[in-house]
């Protein structure tokens, strides 16, 4: 009987645990329903109060913020809350040190003050309270509709001009691009965070139809409807010694294939970036995107080579896009206007030039390898939302592509699990803690434990362990990057990373997605060089009178380690000269390289040293 008594005791506690768990699940579900219901209710109440179509109000909000309040922190454009009510007066990045720059000043962007007058709600409450913020957005929309002499009708299509005014843009193409995005949201419908936008028939806008012309200039290279303008970067000789800038003439993709699009952020205002690239600075980008309006400046034609990546091989085979923003400050979020313009541009360029929409080809400046062992750059930073960015391009990198039989996994951080206060994980900026929410990476450890040291990179630091500093990319794996999985240990997953094994917290696979793909490994039993470029041999370069350049190893690929294959590229070097874009300037080698995702950066290995495997 004693034996069965113990069994009954276990059963009793099991029943209690199940009942308690059910109760907690019920409470959790009710809490979620209460939260989502309150947001839906806030939209409905604001729409009723100010006589704005509720689905239109939601669509404007979704277009501005994807219903994200960002904890009351401002965007780069000084916008607050789910309606992105703006105020740029004296705004300094939250959590930044004393050296931080002020956000770009746009005196006209003070919709917070106007919303406060319309609603009687204080500016501080409009910034921090979501219900109040939605009231402010609804009041603004109604005010714009009235100022146009139009009725507060339930017909969403008749609000097109008011929506354009809500964009706060003085640029007609930018305002129309904003409105077009809002009406596309209305047409498709959305369900997110418990808020539903019912699909609307709004394609017949009659005399207010969306302009489908190619922006402000027919000369620009971009998708239809994008607010893009041709603002040429400086191209001239600086002296009589052959010094020139700020880019090179070429004939891409005829002379060199364009393999990459590199995402940067400016660390300056939009206008300052344009000024910088119009002076002798030895730097430029093909495009610059503004945060306030999402307007795009094309500075260098895609067929020409902009000087943007700090790696001549990558420059020669890429298009560089700068974004107005600050990578160092987590409190500042990149605006929806900028994300949507940039995503539309990248999708267009990728289709036109045959660039794969994945993270081995759509890369950040932080993913560009050095030509020599060096820390290189780390923008656009820990808060660039790669998940949302690819979603805008119609690509879901978190969608499983495999059944687990392949060792390839995609890093897909879940905001509930990748960085948590309970685990003691954080992001810091010179010792100042930045917000956890919205980060796009997982930390990598030497062992499967939060108490273990973070992995380190000898070329980033002389220390034996990594740090949580914003610019320390040696211990971070970023959204969309793919690696070879070695195995699991409880809630932790081990991968090959940068010549070593690394562990990341991955409870139930929450921070990764199974994928399929090819892997690259060493052919023999000895380590082989890993390069930051795919240059021809030094002898071929010298034969073509190129001196001081050679393929320089930056790491080693150890036997047994495997890294995800990103394509085969021919050995090439662009030996450019001022005012010459002859195909003769491209020097071809007699070997191929395999591109791999080596650590947080892409890299190259010689095909002759390695082999492609499937597991």
């Amino acid at each position: 009987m004693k034996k069965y008594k113990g069994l009954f005791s276990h059963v009793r506690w099991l029943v209690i645990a199940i009942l308690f768990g059910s109760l907690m699940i019920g409470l959790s579900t009710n809490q979620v329903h209460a939260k989502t219901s309150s947001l839906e209710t806030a939209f409905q109440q604001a729409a009723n109060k100010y006589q704005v179509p509720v689905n239109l109000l939601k669509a404007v909000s979704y277009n501005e913020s994807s219903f994200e309040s960002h904890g009351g922190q401002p965007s780069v454009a000084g916008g607050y809350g789910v309606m992105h009510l703006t105020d740029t007066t004296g705004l300094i990045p939250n959590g930044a040190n004393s050296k931080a720059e002020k956000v770009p000043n746009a005196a006209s962007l003070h919709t917070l003050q106007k919303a406060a007058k319309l609603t009687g709600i204080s500016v501080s409450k409009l910034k921090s309270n979501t219900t109040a913020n939605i009231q402010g957005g609804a009041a603004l929309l109604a005010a714009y509709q009235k100022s146009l002499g139009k009725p507060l009708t339930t017909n969403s299509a008749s609000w097109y001009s008011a929506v354009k005014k809500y964009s706060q843009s003085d640029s007609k193409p930018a305002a129309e691009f904003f409105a077009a995005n809002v009406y596309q949201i209305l047409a498709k419908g959305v369900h997110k965070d418990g808020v539903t936008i019912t699909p609307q028939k709004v394609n017949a806008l009659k005399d207010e139809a969306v302009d489908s012309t190619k922006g402000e200039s027919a000369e620009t290279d971009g998708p239809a409807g994008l607010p893009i303008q041709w603002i040429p970067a400086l191209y001239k000789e600086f002296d009589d010694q052959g010094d020139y800038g700020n880019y090179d003439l070429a004939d891409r993709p005829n002379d060199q294939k364009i393999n990459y699009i590199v995402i940067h952020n400016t660390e300056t205002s939009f206008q300052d970036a344009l000024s910088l690239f119009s002076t002798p600075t030895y730097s430029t980008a093909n495009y610059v995107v503004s945060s306030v309006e999402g307007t795009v400046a094309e500075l260098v034609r895609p067929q020409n080579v902009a000087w943007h990546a700090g790696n001549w091989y990558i420059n020669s085979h890429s298009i560089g896009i700068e974004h107005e923003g600050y990578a160092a400050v987590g409190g500042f979020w990149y605006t929806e206007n900028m994300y949507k313009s940039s995503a539309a541009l990248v999708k267009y360029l990728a289709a036109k030039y045959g660039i794969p929409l994945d993270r081995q080809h759509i890369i950040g400046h932080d993913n560009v390898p050095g030509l020599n062992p060096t820390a290189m750059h780390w923008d656009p930073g820990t808060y660039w939302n790669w998940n949302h960015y690819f979603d805008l391009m119609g690509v879901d990198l978190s969608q499983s592509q495999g059944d687990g039989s392949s060792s390839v996994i995609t890093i897909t951080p879940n905001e509930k699990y990748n960085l948590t206060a309970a685990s003691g994980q954080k992001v810091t900026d010179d010792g100042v803690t930045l917000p956890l929410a919205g980060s796009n990476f997982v930390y990598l450890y030497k062992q499967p434990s939060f108490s273990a040291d973070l992995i380190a990179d000898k070329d980033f630091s002389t220390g034996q362990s990594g740090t949580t500093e914003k610019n320390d990319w040696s211990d971070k794996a970023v959204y969309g990057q793919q690696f070879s999985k070695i195995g699991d240990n409880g809630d932790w997953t081990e991968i090959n990373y940068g010549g070593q094994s690394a562990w990341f917290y991955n409870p139930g696979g929450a921070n990764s997605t199974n994928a399929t793909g090819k892997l690259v490994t060493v052919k023999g039993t000895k380590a082989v060089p890993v390069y930051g470029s795919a240059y021809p041999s030094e002898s071929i370069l010298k034969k073509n009178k190129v001196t001081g350049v050679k393929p320089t190893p930056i790491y080693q690929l150890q036997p047994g380690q495997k890294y995800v294959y990103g394509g085969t590229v021919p050995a090439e070097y662009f030996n450019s000269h001022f005012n010459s874009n002859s195909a003769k300037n491209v020097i071809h080698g007699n070997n191929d390289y395999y591109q791999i995702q080596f650590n947080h950066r892409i890299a190259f290995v010689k095909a002759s040293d390695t082999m492609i495997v499937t597991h």
Side-chain angles (χ1 to χ4, degrees), residues 105-435:
N105 185 26
S108 64
L109 296 180
H110 297 304
T111 61
L112 263 167
Q113 284 81 357
K114 185 170 183 178
K117 290 180 180 178
L118 291 170
T119 61
I121 302 173
S122 69
V123 167
S124 61
K125 190 172 183 179
L126 286 168
K127 286 181 179 180
S128 60
N129 183 282
T130 297
T131 298
N133 191 268
I134 293 171
Q135 293 271 337
L140 284 170
L141 268 175
Y144 296 146
Q145 183 77 341
K146 290 176 183 176
S147 71
L148 294 165
K150 297 190 175 184
L152 302 180
T153 175
T154 58
N155 180 10
S156 295
S158 70
W159 288 73
Y160 179 73
S161 293
V163 172
K164 286 200 300 182
K165 286 178 72 70
Y166 197 97
S167 73
Q168 302 303 306
S169 178
D170 294 329
S171 163
K172 180 182 176 183
E176 290 183 337
F177 186 71
F178 179 91
N181 282 324
V182 169
Y183 280 86
Q184 285 172 8
I185 292 167
L186 270 175
K188 293 179 181 178
V190 169
H191 183 75
K192 182 181 183 243
D193 296 339
V195 179
T196 299
I197 299 175
T198 306
Q200 309 284 297
K201 291 183 179 180
V202 293
N203 55 341
L205 296 175
K206 299 181 181 178
D207 59 323
E208 294 180 323
V210 177
D211 185 358
S212 61
T213 60
K214 287 186 65 175
E216 295 185 359
S217 170
E219 299 177 357
T220 54
D221 194 355
L226 189 71
I228 182 171
Q229 186 176 10
W230 171 243
I231 303 176
L234 179 71
Y235 183 73
K236 65 176 292 187
E237 289 184 290
F238 297 157
D239 56 34
D240 57 3
Q241 305 300 312
D243 194 20
Y244 69 98
N246 289 335
Y247 63 91
D248 272 298
L249 298 178
D251 187 27
R252 305 186 306 178
N254 296 321
D255 58 356
Q256 300 170 99
K257 192 176 186 306
I258 302 174
N259 291 323
Y260 315 100
I261 297 175
V262 183
I263 305 303
H264 306 256
N265 74 274
T266 61
E267 294 296 318
T268 68
S269 70
F270 179 69
Q271 289 299 329
D272 284 349
L274 297 184
S275 298
L276 180 72
F277 298 148
S278 65
T279 57
T281 53
Y282 303 98
S283 65
T284 190
N286 296 92
Y287 299 88
V288 182
V289 187
S290 77
S291 65
V292 177
E293 301 173 319
T295 50
V296 180
E298 182 182 357
L299 291 86
V300 178
R301 304 295 190 199
Q303 62 263 34
N304 296 326
V305 176
W307 300 352
H308 61 95
N311 177 318
W312 185 237
Y313 177 82
I314 299 296
N315 277 349
S316 303
H317 295 85
S318 70
I319 294 170
I321 304 177
E322 289 276 2
H323 298 79
E324 182 181 30
Y326 300 86
V329 184
F332 267 51
W333 43 285
Y334 296 104
T335 67
E336 281 298 299
N337 285 338
M338 185 170 70
Y339 274 128
K340 287 179 177 174
S341 289
S342 180
L345 178 61
V346 169
K347 186 175 182 179
Y348 164 86
L349 293 171
K352 181 173 181 177
Y353 296 103
I355 304 169
L357 285 174
D358 60 36
R359 291 288 283 111
Q360 288 229 45
H361 299 89
I362 311 300
I363 60 177
H365 199 178
D366 52 297
N367 307 132
V368 174
L371 289 172
N372 296 296
T374 174
M376 288 292 287
H377 294 260
W378 54 272
D379 61 295
T382 57
Y383 296 93
W384 182 263
N385 194 335
W386 287 106
N387 183 356
H388 181 50
Y389 194 48
F390 272 84
D391 183 58
L392 290 171
M393 290 184 264
V395 178
D396 184 1
L397 298 179
S398 65
Q399 186 174 356
S400 178
Q401 299 174 343
D403 56 8
S405 59
S406 169
S407 67
V408 177
I409 58 172
T410 305
I411 302 297
T412 52
N414 184 312
E415 61 182 10
K416 295 179 180 179
Y417 300 103
N418 66 320
L419 297 181
T420 63
S423 68
Q425 297 176 91
K426 58 185 179 180
V427 185
T428 53
D429 176 9
D430 294 334
V432 176
T433 299
L434 299 179

Side-chain angles (χ1 to χ4, degrees), residues 80-97:
Y80 292 84
V82 297
M83 298 303 299
H84 200 250
L85 304 181
T86 49
D87 182 5
T88 61
T89 306
L91 194 61
I92 296 178
N94 179 65
N97 57 37

